[in-house]
Amino acid sequence: MMVALFWISFLGLVYIYFGYPICIKLVASARPLPVNKSAAHLPKVSILIAAYNEANDIEATLRNKLGLDYPAEQLEILVVSDESDDGTDEIVQAVAADAPFPIKLFRQVPRQGKTAGLNLLSQHAKGDILAFSDANSEWDSQALKALVSNFNDPCVGYVTGKMVYVNPEGALIGDGCSAYMKYENWLRAQETLVGSVVGVDGGIDAMRKELHSELSADQLPDFVQPLKVVEQGYRVVYEPDALLKEEALSDGGSEFSMRVRVSLRALWALKDMKQLMSPTNDPVFAWQLISHKLLRYAAFAPMVTLAIAAIYLAPVKGFYALAATGYALFLYFAWLGHKKQSRDQALPAFYALPYYFMLLNLASFQAFVAFSKGEKKVIWSPRKG
């Protein structure tokens, strides 16, 4: 039984991290579905930003959007302040006073969270396209043009851009984040060729306004909104030329807390949209959603059973002893990465990758525990670097 447990666990992990990417690449190569883009497609766009105590970043974010290469008469920015009390509102109003296109501030009281704030803004948006930016997101000047060019294709309902982590000090967590995002962005490129991606970032997204669904306050808009677009029969695609630069968190504790929060809300989103995992609807997208999201969030389980089986079988046969030793070394390098990161030491990839891999899976485990208890996260705090 332990031999079967070992191989089921091992093959499960291989499928999650390598098998699915290989399969999606093969499907994408066999029947690619290109997007009919047009650089001349320049619709009216409303950029929506939810902010809570973002005085440190909100001016730079708004100035960044004012610098976008896009017709001013086709733009507006709507900001919802979720009961901020640090001067965020005053900064928004000051920037709006001399802006070349409308910047409108809405105040949400009492504090209700990002999802409720975006629901509010969508009701006041005048654009045909809703674009979503975080309060600390820095977009490339051509990013918005790249995003909306995809809406020339009538089958496209939602577009997500490419996030790259910026870490000028070369801290460990930045290296781990960068490797993870390269992996995710490659997957999104393949999934776009198949039909739709199953995950977006939220800091540089856009969608057709008529497809926008009002969500409950505890739902994760970055996950549920694109799934609802797929449910309506439209594509969710990835645009690699729409660049978002975001500074990686400089300490593992902050990154871990953020990953737990995101994973927990994603698990609730999967539950809310479980009908999309039924092969009776769209079997290809159901396979993608299960493989890329559900199994990825549950990967900690085969990691644990693989360790148990390897340790149990190690005295029986040399192969399993070697597997147990390799597993132990992987955990050791992850632990060394954690220790060195806590001392603010930059680390090479052979420390960063095991550490970040374990951080993600431990965060998923904690999120599963919270999910099983019925816990939900609605409000958030600004991300600190």
Side-chain angles (χ1 to χ4, degrees), residues 10 25 41 50 56 71 108 123 143 156 162 198 215 230 232 252 255 260-261 265 293 307 312 317 338 346 364 378 384:
F10 176 74
K25 174 63 175 178
H41 187 66
N56 292 334
Q108 183 169 255
Q123 298 170 11
V156 172
K162 179 179 181 179
V198 298
L215 306 179
V230 171
Q232 294 176 72
E255 181 73 20
V260 171
R261 183 177 70 253
R265 299 190 75 185
K293 290 300 178 183
Y312 182 88
K317 194 173 182 180
H338 167 67
S364 292
V378 175
K384 304 298 182 183

Side-chain angles (χ1 to χ4, degrees), residues 121-164:
L121 293 183
S122 67
Q123 298 170 11
H124 296 275
K126 296 179 180 178
D128 300 311
I129 302 297
L130 304 180
F132 305 101
S133 169
D134 289 336
N136 63 343
S137 294
E138 180 183 342
W139 293 6
D140 180 79
S141 62
Q142 302 298 314
L144 187 57
K145 278 187 175 179
L147 279 178
V148 302
S149 68
N150 292 269
F151 292 111
N152 182 67
D153 190 327
C155 295
V156 172
Y158 196 108
V159 185
T160 188
K162 179 179 181 179
M163 182 169 70
V164 291

Side-chain angles (χ1 to χ4, degrees), residues 162-166 178 181 185 201 243-247:
K162 179 179 181 179
M163 182 169 70
V164 291
Y165 280 114
V166 177
S178 294
M181 286 312 305
N185 287 331
D201 288 312
L243 294 178
L244 158 67
K245 297 178 182 179
E246 187 164 313
E247 187 173 347

Side-chain angles (χ1 to χ4, degrees), residues 20 132 157-160 191 195-201 205-207 211-213 215 219-237 265-278 281-282 284-294 297:
Y20 171 68
F132 305 101
Y158 196 108
V159 185
T160 188
E191 289 176 338
S196 288
V197 302
V198 298
V200 303
D201 288 312
D205 294 345
M207 69 178 297
L211 301 180
H212 185 271
S213 301
L215 306 179
Q219 289 183 310
L220 180 64
D222 311 345
F223 197 173
V224 178
Q225 201 67 255
L227 290 181
K228 285 188 173 290
V229 168
V230 171
E231 191 174 39
Q232 294 176 72
Y234 289 81
R235 295 177 67 185
V236 178
V237 302
R265 299 190 75 185
L267 290 173
W268 282 111
L270 286 171
K271 181 180 180 181
D272 291 342
M273 303 298 293
K274 59 183 180 295
Q275 66 274 14
L276 292 179
M277 290 188 281
S278 170
N281 296 316
D282 181 341
V284 173
F285 189 76
W287 164 63
Q288 290 178 239
L289 191 55
I290 291 170
S291 299
H292 192 168
K293 290 300 178 183
L294 182 62
Y297 284 122

